[in-house]
Amino acid sequence: MSTTTRLTVAQALVRFLAQQWTERDGVEHRLIAGCAGIFGHGNVAGIGQALAEQGAGTHDPLPYYLARNEQAMVHTAVGYARQSDRLSTLACTSSIGPGATNMVTGAALATINRLPVLLLPGDLFATRVASPVLQELEDPRSYDVSVNDCLRPVSRFWDRVNRPEQLPAALLGAMRVLTDPAETGAVTLALPQDVQAEAYDWPDELFARRVWHVARPVPEPAALARAAELLRGSRRPLIVAGGGVKYSGACAELARFAERHGVPVAETQAGKGAVPYDHPCAVGAIGHTGTRAADTLAREADLVIGIGTRYSDFTTASRTLFRQARFLNVNVTAFDAAKHAAETLVADAREALKALDDVDWRADPGWTSRAAELAAAWQAETDRFYGGTELTQPVVLGVLNEVAAGGVVVNAAGSMPGDLHRLWRASDPGQYHVEYGYSCMGYEIAGGLGVKLAAPEREVFVLVGDGSYLMMAQEIATAVQEGVKLVIVLVDNQGFASIGALSESVGALRLGTAYRTRGPDGRLDGERLPVDLAANAASLGADVLTAADPQTLRAALAKAVASPRTTVVYVETVPGPAPGAEAWWDVPVAEVSGLAEARAAREHYDEAKRDQRPYL
């Protein structure tokens, strides 16, 4: 007969989470490495009390991290999960109401990027004895709806625990999805506040140490035979390496396969660093933010071998890039493998590459040589962009790339992801961390905090523009409180530079993209805003340094690296040469307009649209 322990639902939840582990290749990792949270009436007496009772210090089984914004704490969990190759993550708890809805953006980001996070929002009273409670959004169609239902479409698993007896099944279902590479994303367990505090006699087996084995599915023999036939028929193949290469630990296998078979390797944002930038087969970034080398090869390739990529529109240049190619897609998720009418190899990337490596085949030697020549020419172009004397954005990246050797660069939105994708020289898989699935402004500092928590031995360099900084800078205070050291490079260009350029290109005249006061005519084209971002960063507890040219930037970064404290290096950039897009991106343009700029943009749009293919 099994024994039981009487605990509240929240106490049982905390005790269960502390005993969950993942295992892959014989190595075990704590699945839930901590809990980030902000407390309110919806979770303070439940999860808050349970964490306090078990200790919640950094040496306790489930450490607690005080966040400043609920969206930001989900970004921190995402950064942690990505740096941990999806084998570990954080839980995030909020109160009901705005605390819960603040997590929706973070949940969408996690699910789009196929990264595991556990969300534990408080909810209404299951008994409904106090309805409507503070912050309840009443739905006249049903009393069983709360704002937590907003998390359903952005979660890979969603459940509401209305009775203690439901908790074990909900927990096991949540852990299954978190640890399944093919299914993972945001997981939400909505927890009514009265149920959190309710006591129950739990079977002790619920709290036993549980190891979730992360599988490496091997290729199905018939699918492998079809893939081998495609390879043998190809003379001009191109690999598109996505994040799945890195998450599966397949980087060494990819490098060996590419070199042995003479196949150039292009990389998505998530896959950048899968092979070192100076590998003989590396041709750099692919797609709308790609290098001239990779995009030229993409247009000429007869076979695209997509490995661990979901083929975003930036990767395919809105389906205009791969003009002659068939597709062979290797992915642990059948949904992604089947894209573009591909021949599919549904398998772990490492196992698939090992199997494909045995195929007796090699790309045309002239193709391999041409790829190497194009890659070398792009590296020379990168040297030119890095070597300026003024602080343009590429020069900032060049100095940082030099100083950050061995560190991790973190970025998310604006013009920097494009420049980073094209220019950054990643020498190892863990060095490049750009969130571009959701391209979420405000991710940078919070995500960098998660990266540093997951990899405390590495320097973490957060690149953030003034637009993103003003959206979500407050996790600097969390980093300072936790003693977690970040180097934050704050680049000020007085507005939304990326969307400004896009606005101009579609005939929208950069409306709403500059940080200016209203001028005499009532438009936002007056004086610069008197916002002191450096002073703001200092007020949050960071040390602040400024740089005015490449030499002072290099010195400031060196000082920041030597410091044990979170340091913000503030840089005002100047306009200057930057690499342009080598491939198109489909952003619709007004079909009729009174503006000459918009009419000209529409003509260009219609012309580019003709190159789109259905990839059938």
Side-chain angles (χ1 to χ4, degrees):
M1 181 176 180
S2 63
T3 58
T4 61
T5 300
R6 191 163 182 81
L7 300 168
T8 69
V9 168
Q11 291 162 1
L13 167 69
V14 167
R15 188 173 295 192
F16 174 89
L17 293 179
Q19 293 300 319
Q20 305 308 299
W21 297 75
T22 59
E23 176 276 326
R24 190 175 69 178
D25 302 332
V27 180
E28 293 185 358
H29 309 263
R30 191 177 286 280
L31 174 55
I32 308 298
C35 181
I38 298 175
F39 295 116
H41 68 285
N43 64 342
V44 65
I47 294 178
Q49 188 280 331
L51 286 168
E53 185 165 316
Q54 67 98 39
T58 54
H59 299 297
D60 291 305
L62 197 66
Y64 167 69
Y65 300 102
L66 170 59
R68 269 68 190 174
N69 177 281
E70 291 88 357
Q71 181 188 142
M73 70 187 180
V74 184
H75 294 337
T76 297
V78 168
Y80 194 103
R82 178 169 171 176
Q83 195 66 25
S84 304
D85 289 336
R86 304 195 293 202
L87 297 170
S88 295
T89 189
L90 302 176
C92 299
T93 181
S94 77
S95 186
I96 70 173
T101 53
N102 278 351
M103 294 201 291
V104 173
T105 295
L109 182 148
T111 296
I112 283 173
N113 285 288
R114 317 294 201 259
L115 291 165
V117 297
L118 176 61
L119 309 184
L120 304 171
D123 211 327
L124 312 177
F125 280 76
T127 56
R128 301 176 184 164
V129 296
S131 294
V133 300
L134 177 65
Q135 298 178 327
E136 177 177 351
L137 180 125
E138 295 182 90
D139 188 334
R141 297 167 298 178
S142 171
Y143 293 126
D144 194 38
V145 173
S146 79
V147 295
N148 285 334
D149 290 88
C150 295
L151 287 157
R152 286 181 184 264
V154 294
S155 298
R156 294 294 291 163
F157 180 89
W158 188 100
D159 199 8
R160 178 178 281 123
V161 181
N162 283 312
R163 291 180 56 86
E165 295 94 328
Q166 296 173 343
L167 182 66
L171 288 172
L172 294 175
M175 298 304 109
R176 176 189 63 80
V177 174
L178 288 172
T179 58
D180 185 344
E183 292 291 327
T184 198
V187 166
T188 299
L189 296 182
L191 301 169
Q193 54 186 302
D194 53 344
V195 176
Q196 288 184 49
E198 187 175 343
Y200 187 74
D201 294 318
W202 306 96
D204 287 341
E205 292 89 343
L206 182 64
F207 310 120
R209 191 177 193 275
R210 191 180 301 267
V211 179
W212 298 84
H213 302 284
V214 180
R216 287 193 179 277
V218 298
E220 189 260 330
L224 185 60
R226 292 190 294 269
E229 184 178 357
L230 265 183
L231 293 180
R232 294 190 188 101
S234 171
R235 302 282 288 170
R236 303 184 308 279
L238 175 68
I239 290 171
V240 175
V245 175
K246 297 200 288 187
Y247 300 144
S248 67
C251 297
E253 286 74 16
L254 173 61
R256 183 167 55 249
F257 175 87
E259 195 165 353
R260 180 179 174 190
H261 299 279
V263 186
V265 178
E267 299 164 316
T268 69
Q269 283 279 15
K272 190 170 177 69
V275 294
Y277 79 94
D278 55 356
H279 185 276
C281 293
V283 295
I286 188 78
H288 178 65
T289 54
T291 68
R292 186 175 299 114
D295 286 352
T296 298
L297 294 168
R299 294 183 180 98
E300 300 173 5
D302 61 9
L303 178 66
V304 172
I305 308 168
I307 307 175
T309 177
R310 66 186 188 92
Y311 286 113
S312 77
D313 65 336
F314 263 47
T315 299
T316 68
S318 299
R319 302 194 182 193
T320 63
L321 190 56
F322 306 112
R323 297 179 179 176
Q324 308 174 43
R326 297 183 66 184
F327 291 85
L328 168 61
N329 291 341
V330 177
N331 207 293
V332 74
T333 305
F335 174 77
D336 289 322
K339 289 175 178 175
H340 305 324
E343 192 67 63
T344 65
L345 203 58
V346 180
D348 172 78
R350 194 182 78 176
E351 297 305 309
L353 283 165
K354 286 180 179 179
L356 291 173
D357 200 26
D358 292 334
V359 178
D360 185 13
W361 155 85
R362 187 173 175 84
D364 187 306
W367 173 255
T368 306
S369 298
R370 173 166 163 73
E373 291 168 3
L374 287 168
W378 183 257
Q379 290 304 326
E381 188 84 343
T382 300
D383 287 336
R384 184 174 71 82
F385 284 116
Y386 275 1
T389 58
E390 293 186 297
L391 279 181
T392 63
Q393 188 162 280
V395 170
V396 171
L397 298 186
V399 174
L400 182 60
N401 211 164
E402 172 192 331
V403 174
V408 184
V409 63
V410 181
N411 185 241
S415 59
M416 277 189 282
D419 287 350
L420 281 163
H421 196 205
R422 296 184 186 100
L423 299 176
W424 191 262
R425 289 167 165 165
S427 55
D428 73 75
Q431 190 191 31
Y432 187 85
H433 186 116
V434 173
E435 189 287 299
Y436 216 56
Y438 211 35
S439 185
C440 185
M441 295 179 73
Y443 173 86
E444 294 90 343
I445 295 171
L449 175 60
V451 172
K452 186 66 175 180
L453 288 171
E457 73 284 358
R458 301 192 76 157
E459 287 287 348
V460 175
F461 298 86
V462 174
L463 262 171
V464 59
D466 51 322
S468 280
Y469 181 89
L470 285 170
M471 286 192 176
M472 197 169 292
Q474 66 277 357
E475 298 312 309
I476 289 176
T478 302
V480 171
Q481 180 179 38
E482 294 292 339
V484 174
K485 184 265 187 86
L486 301 174
V487 177
I488 300 170
V489 182
L490 173 52
V491 176
D492 189 350
N493 54 25
Q494 289 294 306
F496 304 131
S498 175
I499 203 68
L502 178 62
S503 172
E504 189 171 52
S505 74
V506 300
L509 308 182
R510 293 184 176 261
L511 176 66
T513 61
Y515 288 164
R516 301 277 176 171
T517 60
R518 292 199 182 274
D521 61 358
R523 298 180 180 178
L524 292 171
D525 58 1
E527 299 296 320
R528 288 176 54 163
L529 290 180
V531 176
D532 191 335
L533 299 181
N536 177 268
S539 76
L540 293 171
D543 293 341
V544 178
L545 304 171
T546 59
D549 53 49
Q551 291 73 34
T552 56
L553 175 59
R554 188 174 287 106
L557 287 170
K559 186 174 181 180
V561 169
S563 172
R565 287 177 41 79
T566 288
T567 303
V568 172
V569 179
Y570 175 77
V571 182
E572 285 194 71
T573 55
V574 298
E582 297 290 334
W584 187 59
W585 181 36
D586 191 344
V587 178
V589 180
E591 195 166 358
V592 296
S593 174
L595 296 173
E597 294 89 346
R599 292 195 299 272
R602 181 68 195 198
E603 289 182 11
H604 174 73
Y605 177 79
D606 289 338
E607 182 180 350
K609 191 86 171 165
R610 297 188 190 104
D611 288 333
Q612 278 187 315
R613 287 181 53 198
Y615 291 161
L616 297 175

